[in-house]
Amino acid sequence: MARVKRSVHARKKRRKVLEQAKGYWGLKNSNYTYAKEQVERSLAYAYRDRKVKKRHFRRLWIIRINAGARAHGLSYNQFIAGLKAANVELDRKVLADLAATDPGKFSEIVEQAKSALAAAK
């Protein structure tokens, strides 16, 4: 069987890793061995943080909704319970945006939640 010459594919593989490592500090952007380690680690971080980003945004939304609800005399969990009782099906992303950008509309929603909570008691 004929032998396989690897130089073209090996260079292509190394070039791909070094292109991915552009912008890294020190030898990590020019030395293949260090670049390969850092690119592998960076890809793992990127995969992990795509999941973590969703958690961070949900936390931010809840903080904004809580601040808006407390300005109207409700806690976050009372507000969410009132929304469920009033059958208001807005997600946290939309509620947080309303709380931050349109306080008038948000106060209307809070009043709906308050009235639903009062009716449920």
Side-chain angles (χ1 to χ4, degrees):
M1 181 175 263
R3 78 179 200 149
V4 176
K5 297 181 182 178
R6 290 261 318 136
S7 77
V8 174
H9 290 293
R11 252 185 273 127
K12 185 178 177 185
K13 182 179 77 167
R14 289 186 199 117
R15 186 176 68 239
K16 179 183 170 190
V17 168
L18 288 171
E19 283 174 2
Q20 286 179 309
K22 281 251 177 6
Y24 292 163
W25 191 84
L27 286 178
K28 290 176 186 175
N29 70 9
S30 57
N31 183 301
Y32 173 69
T33 308
Y34 296 136
K36 184 174 69 167
E37 287 176 3
Q38 188 58 50
V39 164
E40 202 171 291
R41 199 169 293 134
S42 297
L43 290 171
Y45 289 148
Y47 176 78
R48 178 197 70 188
D49 290 339
R50 281 195 297 275
K51 314 289 182 262
V52 171
K53 181 169 73 169
K54 295 166 181 60
R55 292 179 223 157
H56 285 314
F57 269 107
R58 185 179 172 94
R59 284 178 63 190
L60 176 67
W61 298 333
I62 288 172
I63 289 167
R64 287 180 177 171
I65 294 167
N66 190 21
R70 284 187 185 275
H72 291 78
L74 285 178
S75 67
Y76 170 78
N77 62 340
Q78 291 170 331
F79 176 61
I80 295 295
L83 290 179
K84 292 215 187 310
N87 291 323
V88 176
E89 294 184 9
L90 291 174
D91 62 0
R92 284 164 181 80
K93 180 179 179 180
V94 173
L95 288 169
D97 187 51
L98 284 174
T101 60
D102 193 358
K105 279 283 184 205
F106 188 75
S107 62
E108 290 176 22
I109 295 171
V110 171
E111 292 308 317
Q112 282 183 331
K114 277 185 177 179
S115 62
L117 276 176
K121 287 183 180 179

